Amino acid sequence: MALETVISIPALRWDAPVPYLDAARRQEELVAEKREALILCEHPPTITLGTSARPEDLHFPSAHYQRKNVQIHKSPRGGRATYHGPGQLVCYPIINLRERNRTIQEHLRFLEELMIELCESYHIHAHRIDGKAGAWVEDRKIGFIGVRVRRGFAFHGFSINITPQKDAFCLITPCGMQDLCVTSIQEESGEAPTITEAADRIEARFFALVERSQ
């Protein structure tokens, strides 16, 4: 583990893209231990299928994904299919909603605000759309949310595209939305930040928002 900040909520990172199952296992351990944390990472090419996923969310037979070295995993988070891969920042905040007296709806708005503030730091105007969780730039989706709550702890979280991901998202029907247009910070701003740089900005905003809400 590359970083573990010794504060009330530790921030955890890996030095390189981490397999989805490793990050999922770490989240399960933290929830079982009733510990809050912020996990920031990048995954190798992976499709995750949330609890509402349908077979038609995958556009190709399993052999096609194997040839492309794209892993497919079921996930306990809500939602349908989404993609994770290089150039996308994944954020897994493990938060004690009961102790913080926060509803799941408030937590989802908190995650959206993190993505919106990250976009604003790159001079991108992102926003919410009622009834469609995530972060949007006009009608283009830049950030994706999928959350699970167990024994009062929220885990899983969100992903935001840092570099272009259009070809990868063509492998699925993302979020069950036909013809969804996805975008990225690079496409919208003309900048090409690294995952580490974007993670630094998210981490700073995460702790600022947590402090603001206490």
Side-chain angles (χ1 to χ4, degrees), residues 12-34:
L12 312 176
R13 299 195 202 179
W14 280 266
D15 292 320
V18 60
Y20 171 79
L21 290 181
D22 288 357
R25 188 177 303 112
R26 187 67 179 118
Q27 291 181 79
E28 294 284 352
E29 292 169 353
L30 289 162
V31 172
E33 295 164 3
K34 299 182 178 180

Side-chain angles (χ1 to χ4, degrees), residues 35-177:
R35 294 172 55 198
E36 293 186 314
L38 171 66
I39 295 175
L40 295 162
C41 64
E42 185 180 26
H43 292 312
T46 305
I47 292 166
T48 62
L49 305 174
T51 55
S52 300
R54 301 174 184 175
E56 60 267 27
D57 291 339
L58 297 174
H59 292 179
F60 302 96
S62 59
H64 179 84
Y65 298 101
Q66 291 172 359
R67 286 195 299 270
K68 288 186 169 291
N69 293 316
V70 177
Q71 300 177 13
I72 300 175
H73 296 295
K74 291 184 178 180
S75 172
R77 62 163 176 82
R80 293 176 64 172
T82 197
Y83 172 83
H84 301 306
Q88 185 191 73
L89 175 63
V90 184
C91 180
Y92 296 125
I94 295 90
I95 299 293
N96 188 334
L97 299 182
R98 289 177 185 167
E99 186 174 283
R100 294 182 179 276
N101 195 29
R102 183 181 297 174
T103 66
I104 182 59
Q105 289 77 20
E106 290 170 336
H107 182 62
L108 294 176
R109 301 296 82 77
F110 169 80
L111 299 182
E112 288 171 341
E113 186 61 27
L114 278 172
M115 292 189 286
I116 289 169
E117 289 195 8
L118 177 66
C119 289
E120 288 176 348
S121 77
Y122 291 103
H123 309 290
I124 301 166
H125 177 65
H127 59 90
R128 299 177 176 85
I129 294 180
D130 289 343
K132 298 178 180 179
W136 301 77
V137 180
E138 296 178 352
D139 62 347
R140 304 178 293 280
K141 195 164 190 180
I142 195 168
F144 305 78
I145 289 180
V147 171
R148 175 80 174 184
V149 178
R150 183 183 301 150
R151 291 192 288 273
F153 276 79
F155 59 116
H156 291 275
F158 70 82
S159 57
I160 186 164
N161 295 336
I162 307 303
T163 58
Q165 304 288 325
K166 285 186 174 65
D167 290 346
F169 274 89
C170 287
L171 296 169
I172 59 173
T173 301
C175 311
M177 301 175 69

